[in-house]
């Protein structure tokens, strides 16, 4: 039986990913920073709840101890993420973005990935088939955002795509450092969630497919890559 931890799993894509993995036979920990919402989600899903705020060392370390005491971990899904939105669901542009907005975004989307991965590495290294899935974004692709003919080119934000591009770099470097693990970044697609003010064009069920697929990657599967449901993406 495979044991999986998903950060930010009390709602949205993380919640749906948990549902699909439980249906596939995984034991799933719902990681959430809000205890009440996290417990409620875990009860609805038939999952285990663990208090985990990716921006807080103490809760991350405590979560690692809890999971270790329960038997260990095989799959880590770094799903928790934020995107700063302003009035009218606008995003800070190159003209308006501040260092504080950048720092706040990176604290969750980048430093949170490092914090959680670092804490759970010892458990993953004990697994027979360890997997890490970093939830990135198509907006992390420098190739696509610099191409005037690509749909992503229109996006004017700075903080969110920069943070996800950093997640892609973390993916590459961690994959090289731990060749016994399958460590990949994924693009769920433009999904209707609270993160984007529910402006997305696809469902959480559709978005979770690539995460679930990569979470079940075997020892001979790809590592150090960037994928959506159709295959590899350009960096």
């Amino acid at each position: 039986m495979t044991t999986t931890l998903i950060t930010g799993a009390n709602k949205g894509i993380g919640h749906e990913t948990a549902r699909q993995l439980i249906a596939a036979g995984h034991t799933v920990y719902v990681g959430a920073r809000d205890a009440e919402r996290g417990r409620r989600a875990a009860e609805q899903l038939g999952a285990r709840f663990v208090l985990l705020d990716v921006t807080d060392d103490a809760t991350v370390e405590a979560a690692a101890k809890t999971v270790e005491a329960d038997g260990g971990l095989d799959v880590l899904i770094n799903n928790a993420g934020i995107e700063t939105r302003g009035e009218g669901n606008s995003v800070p542009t190159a003209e308006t973005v501040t260092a504080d907005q950048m720092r706040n975004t990176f604290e969750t989307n980048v430093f949170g990935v490092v914090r959680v991965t670092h804490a759970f590495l010892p458990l993953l290294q004990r697994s027979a088939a360890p997997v890490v899935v970093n939830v990135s974004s198509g907006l992390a692709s420098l190739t696509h955002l610099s191409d005037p003919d690509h749909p992503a080119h229109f996006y004017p934000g700075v903080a969110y795509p920069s943070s996800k591009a950093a997640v892609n770099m973390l993916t590459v470097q961690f994959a090289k450092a731990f060749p016994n693990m399958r460590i990949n970044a994924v693009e769920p697609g433009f999904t209707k969630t609270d993160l984007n003010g529910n402006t997305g064009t696809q469902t959480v069920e559709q978005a979770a497919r690539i995460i679930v697929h990569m979470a079940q990657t075997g020892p001979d599967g790809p590592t150090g890559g960037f994928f959506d449901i159709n295959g590899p993406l350009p960096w």
Side-chain angles (χ1 to χ4, degrees), residues 141-155:
S141 172
L142 276 68
T143 299
H144 286 168
L145 263 71
S146 60
D147 178 3
D149 294 324
H150 193 277
H153 185 263
F154 81 94
Y155 182 83

Side-chain angles (χ1 to χ4, degrees), residues 83-143:
E83 180 185 26
T84 300
R85 292 271 169 161
E87 187 176 348
N89 203 39
S90 62
V91 296
T93 65
E95 182 179 8
T96 63
V97 69
T98 66
D100 284 343
Q101 289 170 335
M102 292 288 292
R103 186 178 297 109
N104 184 57
T105 302
F106 269 63
E107 185 61 54
T108 294
N109 295 4
V110 182
F111 307 148
V113 170
V114 175
R115 182 176 286 110
V116 173
T117 304
H118 177 77
F120 284 90
L121 272 174
L123 302 188
L124 290 167
Q125 288 176 307
R126 296 174 201 164
S127 170
V131 172
V132 178
V133 181
N134 294 326
V135 179
S136 182
S137 169
L139 296 175
S141 172
L142 276 68
T143 299

Side-chain angles (χ1 to χ4, degrees), residues 155-167:
Y155 182 83
V158 176
Y160 183 75
S162 297
S163 73
K164 292 301 187 178
V167 168

